[in-house]
């Protein structure tokens, strides 16, 4: 009986070995044809079968005895626990492998590339937007830091009752000074008529609208430097022009020609005659000019100081000047016609009216004299006296800010 069992066992070992070789061959073939997953499953199955056969060979009590009871099942389970690969092999069930054709694979690759490119574009766009936002925030912060704090808007400090302005004597005392060589009347100096005139103009920074010149360009101040025109009325005129350009947006022409110096000799007797052709040529070349200012400084006694305090700065007082083309001795001067006389007077009055409300001590008066003084060239023509020879250049310069303020208010119809 034992010899028979040995023979049977040998046959079984041979069969198991042959089966193992056969399964290994199938496993390698499956690996070549179907890839790792299916080959792994087949190999696991082969190992499981070989293990079962080995268990039957080396632990025959678990397989060849009478029907197994609970004890034999426990022994078999214990054997499997000692050979754990059997449990792993049992868990490896063959899985169905999905094989895509070349077209599907290529489409998947293209779709992946598209999604990757789209994600890169989104990230770049988001980063660019964040960088732009940070740049704008930085520029805004820098601008806010660099920008000066806005100054509070000036408010009038005095009011002039309308009933006072209707009093001719009040006007003569508070607004006008009439030179002894000329005459005027209540009909000519009518505050209601002056204030009713619309002398505003639309601001246009694209073309010149204001002309500043100096009939007496040699006029200087207490500390003017000989030979340096920037320390004379020319320098003051340029300062006014710059304020009107930078702060108020007007385009200004500043004529710095000398009309009171002939062949190196000071001659003011004919300066208005010399200045008129030059002014008319500028106006012909620039018909957009609507405001003409002849900027001077007055001449007073050496002990007279024409200075006031404006916004904490010492400023020279100003005087507005008008010619009536009329003398007390000869009456109307027909050879010096001025069709713009009423507009000239209204222009001066509105400036004086604004000054008395905002800077009550700034203006001296509107001085009326007998001749024309080239004020006929435009309705808004003005002769402006800035301080006198006893004022410093600084005081004259400081006077230009309040004057530009009241000028802009009149031109904007405020």
């Amino acid at each position: 009986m034992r010899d028979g069992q040995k023979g049977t066992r040998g046959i079984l070992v041979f069969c198991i070995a042959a089966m193992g070789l056969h399964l290994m061959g199938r496993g390698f073939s499956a690996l070549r044809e179907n890839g790792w997953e299916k080959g792994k499953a087949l190999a696991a199955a082969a190992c499981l079968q070989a293990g079962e056969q080995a268990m039957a060979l080396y632990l025959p009590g678990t397989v060849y005895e009478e029907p197994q009871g609970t004890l034999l099942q426990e022994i078999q389970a214990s054997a499997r626990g000692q050979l754990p690969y059997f449990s792993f092999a049992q868990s490896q069930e063959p899985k169905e492998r999905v094989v895509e054709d070349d077209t599907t694979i290529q489409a998947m690759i293209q779709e992946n590339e598209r999604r990757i490119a789209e994600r890169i574009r989104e990230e770049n766009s988001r980063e660019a937007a964040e960088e732009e936002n940070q740049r704008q925030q930085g520029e805004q912060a820098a601008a806010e830091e660099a920008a000066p704090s806005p100054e509070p808007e000036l408010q009038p400090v005095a009011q002039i009752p309308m009933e006072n302005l209707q009093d001719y004597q009040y006007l003569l005392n508070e607004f006008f000074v009439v030179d002894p060589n000329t005459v005027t009347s209540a009909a000519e100096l009518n505050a209601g008529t002056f204030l009713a005139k619309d002398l505003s103009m639309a601001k246009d920074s694209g073309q010149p609208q204001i002309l500043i010149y100096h009939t007496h360009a040699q006029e200087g101040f207490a500390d003017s430097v000989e030979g340096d025109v920037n320390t004379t009325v020319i320098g003051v005129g340029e300062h006014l022009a710059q304020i009107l350009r930078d702060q108020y947006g007007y385009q200004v022409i500043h004529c710095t020609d000398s009309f009171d110096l002939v062949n190196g000799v000071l001659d003011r007797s004919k300066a208005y005659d010399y200045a008129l052709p030059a002014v008319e040529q500028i106006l012909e070349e620039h018909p957009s000019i609507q405001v003409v200012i002849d900027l001077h400084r007055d001449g007073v006694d050496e002990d007279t100081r024409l200075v006031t305090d404006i916004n904490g700065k010492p400023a020279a007082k100003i005087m507005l000047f008008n010619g009536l083309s009329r003398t007390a001795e000869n009456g109307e001067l027909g050879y010096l016609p001025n069709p713009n006389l009423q507009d000239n007077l209204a222009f001066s009055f509105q400036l004086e009216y604004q000054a008395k409300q905002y800077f009550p001590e700034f203006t001296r008066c509107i001085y009326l004299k007998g001749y024309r003084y080239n004020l006929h060239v435009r309705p808004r023509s003005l002769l402006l006296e800035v301080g006198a020879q006893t004022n410093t250049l600084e005081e004259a310069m400081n006077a230009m800010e309040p004057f530009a303020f009241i000028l802009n208010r009149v031109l904007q119809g405020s």
Side-chain angles (χ1 to χ4, degrees):
M1 185 66 181
R2 299 183 67 87
D3 291 336
Q5 289 179 347
K6 290 181 179 179
T8 302
R9 186 177 298 173
I11 293 171
L12 289 174
V13 169
F14 175 78
C15 291
I16 291 171
M19 183 182 297
L21 292 175
H22 173 70
L23 293 174
M24 288 176 63
R26 286 187 61 192
F28 284 120
S29 176
L31 285 174
R32 286 195 304 271
E33 295 177 1
N34 302 298
W36 166 252
E37 292 297 330
K38 191 170 182 180
K40 184 175 68 172
L42 292 173
C47 290
L48 182 60
Q49 294 179 19
E52 295 290 347
Q53 295 297 329
M55 184 179 294
L57 177 64
Y58 295 107
L59 297 171
T62 65
V63 297
Y64 72 83
E65 293 291 345
E66 298 296 331
Q68 299 174 354
T70 303
L71 181 61
L72 292 178
Q73 291 176 353
E74 291 178 359
I75 294 173
Q76 190 177 33
S78 176
R80 284 193 172 91
Q82 296 177 32
L83 299 173
Y85 186 76
F86 293 158
S87 299
F88 167 77
Q90 285 178 327
S91 67
Q92 301 300 311
E93 297 179 359
K95 298 180 180 178
E96 182 180 359
R97 181 171 181 266
V98 179
V99 180
E100 295 86 1
D101 57 22
D102 291 341
T103 302
T104 303
I105 293 174
Q106 188 63 31
M108 293 174 63
I109 293 173
Q110 291 177 353
E111 177 64 16
N112 289 336
E113 291 177 348
R114 185 190 66 79
R115 291 183 178 180
I116 292 172
E118 183 177 352
R119 181 175 299 177
I120 292 173
R121 285 196 300 270
E122 290 177 354
E123 291 177 354
N124 290 340
S125 177
R126 184 167 56 253
E127 291 176 358
E130 291 176 355
E131 291 177 359
E132 178 64 17
N133 186 46
Q134 292 176 356
R135 183 189 66 78
Q136 291 180 356
Q137 291 178 351
E139 290 180 353
Q140 182 178 357
E144 291 175 354
E145 183 177 352
S149 300
E151 297 182 359
E153 185 178 352
L154 284 177
Q155 299 296 328
V157 296
Q159 292 184 349
I160 305 173
M162 200 60 187
E163 56 268 23
N164 290 355
L165 296 178
Q166 295 172 354
D167 185 344
Y168 176 62
Q169 196 59 47
Y170 176 84
L171 294 180
L172 291 180
N173 292 335
E174 299 295 329
F175 282 82
F176 296 96
V177 171
V178 183
D179 189 87
N181 80 336
T182 191
V183 293
T184 186
S185 65
E188 186 170 56
L189 304 184
N190 187 302
T193 301
F194 293 155
L195 294 177
K197 279 190 176 290
D198 183 7
L199 295 173
S200 64
M201 68 178 189
K203 190 180 299 184
D204 183 359
S205 60
Q207 54 186 349
Q209 293 180 293
I210 300 176
L211 168 64
I212 300 173
Y213 74 103
H214 311 276
T215 300
H216 297 157
Q218 307 307 309
E219 291 176 335
F221 299 93
D223 54 353
S224 292
V225 178
E226 186 176 356
D228 185 357
V229 297
N230 294 319
T231 64
T232 67
V233 290
I234 290 178
V236 176
E238 181 57 32
H239 185 51
L240 173 60
Q242 203 63 40
I243 293 172
L244 292 172
R245 293 181 190 120
D246 295 346
Q247 294 188 24
Y248 297 100
Y250 295 103
Q251 190 175 141
V252 183
I253 292 178
H254 182 206
C255 175
T256 60
D257 295 350
S258 294
F259 306 111
D260 56 350
L261 193 66
V262 181
N263 297 324
V265 178
L266 183 64
D267 182 4
R268 291 179 177 167
S269 62
K270 295 184 178 180
Y272 288 97
D273 293 335
Y274 295 143
L276 182 57
V279 171
E280 289 178 333
Q281 181 178 351
I282 294 173
L283 296 179
E284 183 179 355
E285 293 174 353
H286 303 282
S288 58
I289 292 175
Q290 301 183 51
V291 179
V292 178
I293 300 173
D294 184 8
L295 194 151
H296 295 248
R297 66 106 175 104
D298 201 4
V300 298
D301 295 337
E302 290 299 323
D303 59 352
T304 300
R305 289 278 290 146
L306 304 174
V307 64
T308 187
D309 183 275
I310 297 180
N311 297 327
K313 298 178 182 178
K317 292 187 175 184
I318 66 171
M319 183 173 71
L320 309 177
F321 191 100
N322 283 98
L324 300 180
S325 292
R326 180 190 311 121
T327 65
E329 181 178 358
N330 300 314
E332 302 293 333
L333 302 179
Y335 65 95
L336 295 175
N338 183 2
N340 295 316
L341 176 58
Q342 281 297 306
D343 287 326
N344 294 162
L345 289 171
F347 190 43
S348 294
F349 186 84
Q350 290 188 20
L351 290 168
E352 182 85 3
Y353 181 70
Q354 291 287 340
K356 285 189 178 298
Q357 294 178 81
Y358 286 87
F359 315 108
E361 302 299 322
F362 181 44
T363 58
R364 295 163 61 194
C365 65
I366 302 171
Y367 197 88
L368 304 179
K369 207 165 181 179
Y371 296 95
R372 188 174 63 179
Y373 306 100
N374 293 337
L375 297 175
H376 64 292
V377 293
R378 284 290 188 271
R380 301 178 188 84
S381 291
L382 177 72
L383 196 156
L384 173 65
E385 301 272 7
V386 182
Q389 84 281 5
T390 55
N391 286 102
T392 65
L393 178 64
E394 179 187 10
E395 291 167 351
M397 292 287 193
N398 289 343
M400 293 301 92
E401 287 190 10
F403 175 75
F405 174 82
I406 64 175
L407 176 62
N408 180 66
R409 285 188 63 81
V410 172
L411 294 180
Q412 297 307 303
S414 301

